[in-house]
């Protein structure tokens, strides 16, 4: 199912070589046009902000990171009839600050990298 152009190119005749060269030139011209179009679009875009237009730090300095431990809300239980709760029945599930703000730390002998609980030593 070769087309006529593919047959000419495969035959190695002068017409096949000319077709390949013409296709290459058309492809090159199309790529050059795409680059020129991109340059024109870039020129129409607003310039990047100057140094004087950049946001400034507040007088108090950079804002620090805030960490706090949160307490999750419990999922409400389904009724006695055993019907499943739907998402709109659960509602918004905000958390609240925990009374204990100490971060949980890793302890030797507790859960390993894969939850094995072992020390990893043989």
């Amino acid at each position: 199912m070769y087309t006529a152009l593919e047959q000419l190119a495969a035959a190695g005749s002068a017409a096949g070589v000319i077709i390949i060269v013409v296709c290459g030139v058309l492809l090159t011209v199309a790529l050059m046009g795409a680059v020129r179009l991109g340059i024109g679009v870039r020129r129409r875009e607003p310039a990047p902000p100057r140094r004087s237009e950049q946001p400034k730090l507040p007088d108090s300095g950079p804002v620090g990171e805030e960490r706090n431990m949160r307490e999750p809300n419990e999922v409400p239980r389904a009724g006695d009839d055993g019907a499943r709760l739907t998402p709109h029945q659960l509602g918004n599930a905000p958390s609240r600050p925990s009374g204990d703000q100490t971060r949980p730390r890793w302890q030797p002998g507790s859960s390993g990298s894969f939850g094995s609980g072992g020390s990893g030593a043989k």
Side-chain angles (χ1 to χ4, degrees):
M1 292 183 47
Y2 288 107
T3 62
L5 294 176
E6 290 173 343
Q7 288 177 352
L8 285 174
S13 64
V17 171
I18 290 172
I19 290 172
I20 291 174
V21 169
V22 168
C23 288
V25 169
L26 289 176
L27 182 63
T28 304
V29 168
L31 289 173
M32 288 171 56
V35 168
R36 288 184 59 106
L37 179 67
I39 290 172
V41 168
R42 181 74 190 252
R43 282 188 183 148
R44 287 191 298 272
E45 290 178 354
R50 292 187 298 268
R51 188 173 192 91
S52 62
E53 298 170 344
Q54 295 291 335
K56 302 278 189 262
L57 273 177
D59 292 335
S60 61
V63 178
E65 178 180 347
E66 181 181 320
R67 290 186 179 192
N68 64 27
M69 303 303 293
R70 307 291 290 177
E71 230 176 61
N73 280 343
E74 296 296 323
V75 176
R77 296 257 179 212
D80 291 334
D81 59 355
R84 292 175 33 187
L85 293 175
T86 59
H88 76 274
Q89 289 170 319
L90 293 176
N92 208 3
S95 61
R96 56 189 176 273
S98 174
D100 182 17
Q101 289 293 317
T102 58
R103 290 178 48 208
R105 298 290 185 184
W106 178 80
Q107 301 292 328
S110 66
S111 177
S113 62
F114 295 103
S116 64
S119 64
K122 291 187 177 187

